Amino acid sequence: MAPVDYKNLWKLLIDKEWKKTDLITKAGITSNILAKMGKGEFVSMESLHKICKALDCNIGDICVFNEEYKEAEKEGK
């Protein structure tokens, strides 16, 4: 299980009819950042801010933290 869920971001891109390459260009992020997000990995707050600014949204509109991941981390799994 990944620590962060970016499903809301992918849905927002579909709603706006943006491709991932559009997000890279308009938000000024790298393809590596997008690849990390595709795997549910952590990215910098700066990157999240750029994405939110480009999409005119808040951070909660694009990602959520997985509680199950936090619990597994506590248990050492």
Side-chain angles (χ1 to χ4, degrees):
M1 165 147 318
V4 186
D5 184 344
Y6 295 103
K7 286 180 189 171
N8 292 341
L9 171 61
W10 311 134
K11 289 176 187 173
L12 193 54
L13 291 180
I14 291 167
D15 291 345
K16 290 187 176 276
E17 298 182 355
W18 284 19
K19 295 179 182 171
K20 290 180 180 179
T21 52
D22 295 327
L23 182 62
I24 290 170
T25 304
K26 293 177 182 184
I29 60 170
T30 65
S31 58
N32 289 341
I33 296 297
L34 208 57
K36 282 182 146 191
M37 294 174 85
K39 296 175 190 172
E41 296 177 4
F42 291 114
V43 297
S44 73
M45 188 61 83
E46 180 182 9
S47 297
L48 294 173
H49 178 259
K50 288 178 180 181
I51 291 167
C52 288
K53 196 171 171 185
L55 292 169
D56 190 29
C57 67
N58 289 310
I59 194 165
D61 297 328
I62 62 172
C63 67
V64 294
F65 295 109
N66 285 320
E67 293 300 319
E68 293 157 9
Y69 178 83
K70 290 179 192 175
E71 292 301 318
E73 196 174 55
K74 283 181 190 176
E75 295 170 6
K77 293 182 182 177

